C-alpha cells in the first residue's frame, strides 16, 4: 500500500492513468477498479474518483454497529454493502451461528507461544471467512458478518482490577507485541495477494482502565509521562503495525487532555509519520461522539468531525447512530475545514482493505472464497481448542507432587467437583466469546466424569458472585469423597468490559466455600482450579497445607473440562507449561490507584522492592529443568549490533514437558529511568525426558533503546539473565537462572540511525 505522502506525490501520474481507463469505460468495458490485472493503487483511486462526496461520507460514517452499519451499497458501481463490525479475539465472536471458541486472550498469552497464537488466529480467520462467504450468498450484511476484525486487544494489563484484563496479552510490552504480531499474521494469512481476514489492533492508546471505577472510561483522561508512553504503552502497537495490520482502533480516553480519536500526535505523527502505518483507523464504539458528549473537548458534531478526520481517523463506529458525527464531513468540506483531498486519503485504506480481501476480484481467483461452513467447528479446530486450553494453564502450587494423579491409582475413587465454576458452562468463556454448539462444551464436571472415577457435584453458590452460599451442601459432599476439586473464580458477572473489580478477593463467599472444603477434606487431596482474568488474592490457599495444588485456568472456553482432565492425570502432551503473563500482587497494599498512570509500582518492570504473591513469568511443571552453557556473543558490541545468545536446557525431571525459556536484560548505567529488568526474549520448547535442547535467541538494538526526547542507544554495561523465570524471585520455580553481561561501545546515537 502506498503511503499518504506518495498518494499526493503520484496524484498527477495516476490521474492521467485513470483518465485513459475511464475512456475505455465509455465503450462498454468494465470499471478499471474491477480489473484485477491493474495495480491496487490505480484501482482504489479509480473507484474513489467515481464517488460523490455524499457517497464518500457514508462510507466513512458507517463503521457499525446496528443502525450505524453496514457501509451502504453503491449501486451505480455494482458495489455491495460491507459490515466492518466483526470481533475475532479468539474465535468468530458474536457472529450469527456457532463457532469454535478458544481460550480467552489472557489464557492464550499464558502459553508464551507465538506459534499457538498464530494457529488460533488462522483457525479463527478460516471460520470468519467461511461464515462470511455464506452470509454474502444469502445477502446478510448484519453485524459480525464481515471480514474486518476488531482484534487483537493489546493494551497493557497495568492494573489487576481493570475489567478488560481478560482480553489482553498481559503486562509486558515485548510479549504483547510478539503475540500481537503472531495474531496479525495468523489472521491475515500468508497468501501473496489476498488476506483471509484483516486484523485491527486496539485500543490505541494509553488505555488500561478504569472502566467504571472510580470514573467512566468514556470521559477518562489518562495523564502519562512521555517516557512511560513510549516505553510501555506504544511498543506493542508498533509491533502490530510492523506485522502488517490493516487497522488500528482508537480508544475512548483522552491522553494528556486530548481524546485519542482526535489526537494528531497519536494518529498521524506517531502512527503514520514515525511508524509508516498506511491502514485505516476506526473509532471505538461511540468514542468519536464522546469527544463532545463525555470529554466536552468540542462543542458540536461538526467540530468533532473536523478534529477527528484531520487528526487521522478514517471510520466511525458509533452507538447505532444514523445521524452520527461523520455525517458532518460534507459540511466541513463545504466550509473548507476538511479538504476533499483529505477525505479521499481517509477513504483510500477502506477500499484498499476491501480489495485485498478480494471483494472486487472474480471469486475463483481467491482461494478463500472456496471456504464453506464445513470449516466451522471442524475436528481440527476442536482439537486446537483443547491444545490451546492445555497450553494456557498455569500450575501455581503442587505440594508433594499431588499432580499429576496416577490414572490407575485413582480408578474407582470418589471425586467431589464443587464450586460455582464446576458445572457452569456460561462462566468458562469470558467476554467476547464465540458461541460453540453446546455438544462441544465441556465443564470441569464433564471432563472429570470421563475419567474412571465416581463424580459427585455441588455448586455451593448459584453464581460467581456467591452472595448466597450453602455451607452444608459443600461440607456434606467433601466429607464423603476421596479427592476434591474446587472450582472458583470471577467470570463476566464480576469482571468484563464496563465492569471493574473493587478488590483482589475471591467474590462473595467463595473464600468461605474454600475454607469449608479444606476443613472437610481433613487432609485428603484437594485441588483448587481458578477461572479468572484479573489477579486474585489467594494467599491463604497458597499458604494452606490443606490446598495441595492450585491450577490457574483463566477462561478456557469450550474445551475446559477436557483439558482439565488431561492436566489432572498428565496425559501425553498435558504437562502444564503456562506462565503468568501478569504479576499477582500479595494484597491491596501493592495495588496503586486505577486512575494513576505512572508506571511506578506497576508490572514486574517497575514493581520495586515489593514481593508479589506470584511474579510475572511464574509457573510450575510436572518435571524440572536445568540451564547451562550460556554463551553471549559478542561480549563487546557496537551500538547497532545485535546480541546473540545460546543456552542448553536439560529436562532433569521424570517426564516430557514444555519449558518457557525467558531472557531478561537490565541496564547498569542508563542516563534516564528504565525498568529494573525487562523481557527481551522468549521461546517455548518441548524437551523429552532426560533430553536437552540448545536454544538460540537474539536481542535487537531496539530492545536496548531508551527514551529521552527520542529513542536513543547508549553505551554501557548490561546484564542478561536466562532461565525459566525472572531473576531474584522469592516465589520461584525449581530451575536455575543463568547470568552474564555484555558491554556496548561507542557514542550515544538515535535508534533510527542504525
Amino acid at each position: 500500500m502506498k503511503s499518504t505522502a506518495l498518494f499526493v506525490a503520484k496524484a498527477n501520474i495516476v490521474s492521467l492513468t485513470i483518465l485513459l481507463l475511464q475512456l475505455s469505460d465509455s465503450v462498454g468495458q468494465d470499471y478499471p477498479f474491477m480489473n484485477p490485472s491493474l495495480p491496487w493503487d490505480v484501482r482504489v483511486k479509480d473507484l474513489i474518483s467515481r464517488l460523490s462526496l455524499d457517497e464518500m461520507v457514508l462510507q466513512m460514517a458507517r463503521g457499525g454497529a446496528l443502525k450505524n452499519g453496514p457501509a451502504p451499497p453503491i449501486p451505480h458501481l455494482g458495489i455491495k454493502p460491507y459490515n466492518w463490525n466483526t470481533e475475532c479475539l479468539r474465535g468468530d465472536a458474536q457472529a450469527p451461528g456457532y463457532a469454535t471458541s478458544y481460550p480467552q486472550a489472557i489464557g492464550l498469552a499464558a502459553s508464551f507461544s507465538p506459534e499457538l497464537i498464530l494457529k488460533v488466529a488462522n483457525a479463527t480467520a478460516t471460520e470468519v471467512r467461511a461464515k462470511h462467504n455464506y452470509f454474502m450468498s444469502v445477502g446478510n450484511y448484519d453485524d459480525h458478518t464481515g471480514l474486518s476484525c476488531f482484534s487483537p486487544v493489546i493494551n497493557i494489563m497495568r492494573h489487576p482490577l481493570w475489567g478488560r484484563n481478560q482480553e489482553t496479552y498481559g503486562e509486558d510490552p515485548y510479549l504483547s507485541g510478539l503475540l500481537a504480531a503472531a495474531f496479525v499474521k495468523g489472521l491475515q494469512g500468508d497468501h501473496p495477494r489476498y488476506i483471509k481476514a484483516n486484523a485491527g489492533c486496539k485500543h490505541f492508546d494509553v488505555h488500561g482502565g478504569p472502566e467504571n471505577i472510580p470514573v467512566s472510561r468514556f470521559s477518562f483522561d489518562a495523564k502519562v509521562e512521555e517516557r512511560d508512553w513510549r516505553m510501555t504503552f506504544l511498543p506493542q502497537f508498533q509491533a502490530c503495525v510492523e506485522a502488517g495490520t490493516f487497522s488500528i482502533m482508537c480508544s475512548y480516553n483522552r491522553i494528556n487532555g486530548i481524546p485519542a480519536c482526535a489526537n494528531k500526535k497519536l494518529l498521524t505523527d506517531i502512527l503514520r509519520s514515525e511508524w509508516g502505518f498506511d491502514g485505516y483507523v476506526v473509532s471505538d464504539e461511540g468514542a468519536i461522539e464522546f469527544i463532545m458528549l463525555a470529554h466536552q473537548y468540542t462543542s458540536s458534531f461538526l467540530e468533532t468531525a473536523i478534529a477527528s478526520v484531520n487528526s487521522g481517523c478514517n471510520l466511525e463506529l458509533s452507538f447505532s447512530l444514523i445521524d452520527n458525527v461523520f455525517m458532518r464531513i460534507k459540511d466541513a468540506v463545504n466550509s473548507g475545514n476538511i479538504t476533499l483531498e483529505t477525505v479521499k486519503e481517509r477513504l483510500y485504506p477502506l477500499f484498499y482493505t476491501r480489495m485485498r480481501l478480494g471483494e472486487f476480484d472474480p471469486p475463483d481467483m481467491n482461494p478463500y472464497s472456496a471456504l464453506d461452513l464445513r470449516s466451522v467447528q471442524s475436528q481440527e479446530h476442536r482439537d486446537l481448542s483443547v491444545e490451546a486450553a492445555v497450553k494456557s494453564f498455569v500450575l501455581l502450587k503442587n505440594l508433594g507432587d499431588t499432580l499429576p494423579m496416577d490414572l490407575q491409582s485413582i480408578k474407582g475413587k470418589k471425586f467431589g467437583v464443587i464450586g460455582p465454576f464446576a458445572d457452569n458452562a456460561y462462566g468458562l468463556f469470558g467476554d467476547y466469546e464465540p458461541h460453540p454448539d453446546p455438544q462441544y462444551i465441556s465443564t470441569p464436571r464433564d471432563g472429570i466424569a470421563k475419567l474412571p472415577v465416581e463424580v459427585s457435584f455441588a455448586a455451593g453458590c448459584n453464581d460467581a458472585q456467591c452472595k448466597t452460599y450453602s455451607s452444608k451442601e459443600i461440607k456434606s459432599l467433601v466429607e464423603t469423597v476421596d479427592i476434591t476439586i474446587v472450582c472458583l473464580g470471577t467470570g463476566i458477572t464480576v469482571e468484563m468490559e464496563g465492569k471493574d473489580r473493587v478488590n483482589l478477593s475471591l467474590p462473595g463467599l467463595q473464600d468461605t466455600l474454600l475454607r469449608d472444603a479444606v476443613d472437610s477434606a481433613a487432609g485428603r487431596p484437594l485441588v483448587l482450579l481458578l477461572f479468572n482474568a484479573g489477579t486474585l488474592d489467594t494467599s491463604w490457599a497458597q499458604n494452606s497445607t490443606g490446598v495441595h495444588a492450585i491450577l490457574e485456568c483463566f477462561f478456557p472456553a469450550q474445551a475446559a473440562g477436557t483439558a482439565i482432565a488431561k492436566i489432572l492425570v498428565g496425559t501425553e502432551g498435558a504437562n502444564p507449561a503456562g506462565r503468568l503473563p501478569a504479576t499477582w500482587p500479595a494484597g491491596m497494599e501493592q495495588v496503586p490507584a486505577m486512575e494513576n498512570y505512572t508506571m511506578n509500582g506497576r508490572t514486574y518492570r517497575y514493581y520495586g522492592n515489593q514481593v508479589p504473591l506470584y511474579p510475572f513469568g511464574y509457573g510450575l511443571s510436572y518435571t524440572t529443568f536445568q540451564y547451562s552453557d550460556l554463551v553471549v556473543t559478542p561480549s563487546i558490541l557496537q551500538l547497532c549490533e545485535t546480541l546473540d545468545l545460546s543456552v542448553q536446557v536439560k529436562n532433569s525431571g521424570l517426564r516430557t514437558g514444555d519449558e518457557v525459556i525467558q531472557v531478561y536484560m537490565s541496564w547498569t548505567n542508563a542516563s534516564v529511568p528504565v525498568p529494573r529488568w525487562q523481557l527481551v526474549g522468549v521461546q517455548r520448547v518441548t524437551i523429552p525426558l532426560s533430553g536437552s535442547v540448545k536454544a538460540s535467541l537474539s536481542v535487537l538494538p531496539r530492545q536496548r533503546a531508551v527514551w529521552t526526547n527520542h529513542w536513543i542507544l547508549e553505551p554501557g554495561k548490561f546484564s542478561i539473565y536466562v532461565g525459566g523465570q525472572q531473576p531474584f524471585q522469592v516465589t520461584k520455580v525449581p530451575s536455575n537462572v543463568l547470568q552474564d553481561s555484555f558491554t556496548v561501545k561507542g557514542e550515544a546515537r538515535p535508534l533510527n540511525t542504525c
Side-chain angles (χ1 to χ4, degrees), residues 367-548:
Y368 301 136
S369 298
L371 291 171
D372 58 32
L373 295 181
R374 289 174 294 181
S375 302
V376 179
Q377 299 186 117
S378 66
Q379 185 66 54
E380 180 184 2
H381 290 178
R382 301 199 309 271
D383 290 345
L384 179 58
S385 73
V386 177
E387 176 190 347
V390 166
K391 288 183 174 179
S392 72
F393 295 159
V394 182
L395 184 63
L396 299 176
K397 178 182 180 181
N398 196 19
L399 283 181
D401 294 328
T402 297
L403 298 179
M405 302 174 188
D406 180 70
L407 198 56
Q408 292 302 315
S409 299
I410 64 172
K411 193 172 183 179
K413 291 285 182 74
K414 295 180 179 179
F415 272 60
V417 186
I418 66 172
F421 289 86
D423 198 36
N424 176 7
Y426 176 72
L428 300 172
F429 283 81
D431 208 2
Y432 285 93
E433 77 286 6
H435 297 291
D437 187 324
Q439 68 174 311
Y440 301 134
I441 299 175
S442 173
T443 67
R445 180 187 184 184
D446 295 332
I448 293 168
K450 286 184 168 58
L451 299 174
V453 301
E454 181 183 328
V455 173
S456 300
F457 160 72
C461 309
N462 291 330
D463 56 36
Q465 297 184 60
C466 201
K467 293 179 179 178
T468 58
Y469 161 60
S470 174
S471 176
K472 182 179 179 180
E473 179 186 29
I474 294 299
K475 289 180 176 180
S476 61
L477 186 149
V478 175
E479 287 169 355
T480 65
V481 300
D482 302 304
I483 299 169
T484 301
I485 310 296
V486 187
C487 305
L488 305 179
T490 56
I492 61 174
T493 62
V494 174
E495 56 175 336
M496 66 175 292
E497 181 176 3
K499 184 183 296 183
D500 297 317
R501 292 187 297 151
V502 296
N503 57 46
L504 296 170
S505 302
L506 283 163
L509 296 168
Q510 287 191 40
D511 185 68
T512 303
L513 186 158
L514 176 61
R515 292 172 188 253
D516 284 349
V518 169
D519 288 343
S520 300
R524 294 186 299 277
L526 183 146
V527 177
L528 173 60
L529 307 181
L530 296 173
F531 301 88
N532 59 291
T535 59
L536 294 165
D537 184 355
T538 53
S539 303
W540 185 85
Q542 176 65 24
N543 296 326
S544 171
T545 56
V547 177
H548 298 90

